[in-house]
Amino acid sequence: MSISDRVKGLLALSGKRQIDLAADFGMSKQSMNNKFARNSWSASDLVKVSDFCGCKLVFLMPDGQQIIIRDEKTPDA
């Protein structure tokens, strides 16, 4: 499963649309479609997607410890 497939799933689970994600990213619908088609997601893109969907991007260690990746502009919670 590609990252684009996972982003689509996350959007579906959170009730969000790709066109709204494009607007949040400040890009056209076609540019967002290209990002999905090319599977071209940077780490900062994934942080923005998680923020847009109201969730967290987390590294889960084998022992259960979590490292949460946040947008630098978002205050710690």
Side-chain angles (χ1 to χ4, degrees):
M1 179 179 284
S2 71
I3 298 296
S4 288
D5 290 335
R6 292 173 195 270
V7 170
K8 286 178 186 177
L10 182 59
L11 290 171
L13 286 171
S14 62
K16 306 285 185 171
R17 301 179 313 160
Q18 287 184 32
I19 193 163
D20 297 323
L21 180 63
D24 191 68
F25 271 57
M27 62 175 54
S28 70
K29 178 182 174 183
Q30 184 59 46
S31 293
M32 182 57 70
N33 286 341
N34 290 340
K35 181 176 276 301
F36 274 94
R38 293 183 183 126
N39 200 39
S40 60
W41 301 94
S42 68
S44 65
D45 288 342
L46 295 176
V47 171
K48 288 168 88 175
V49 168
S50 68
D51 187 51
F52 176 75
C53 292
C55 60
K56 298 175 184 175
L57 184 63
V58 176
F59 290 106
L60 181 60
M61 303 300 292
D63 66 0
Q65 290 183 354
Q66 297 179 4
I67 300 171
I68 300 171
I69 309 300
R70 293 187 179 96
D71 186 330
E72 291 140 6
K73 295 175 261 175
T74 304
D76 288 340

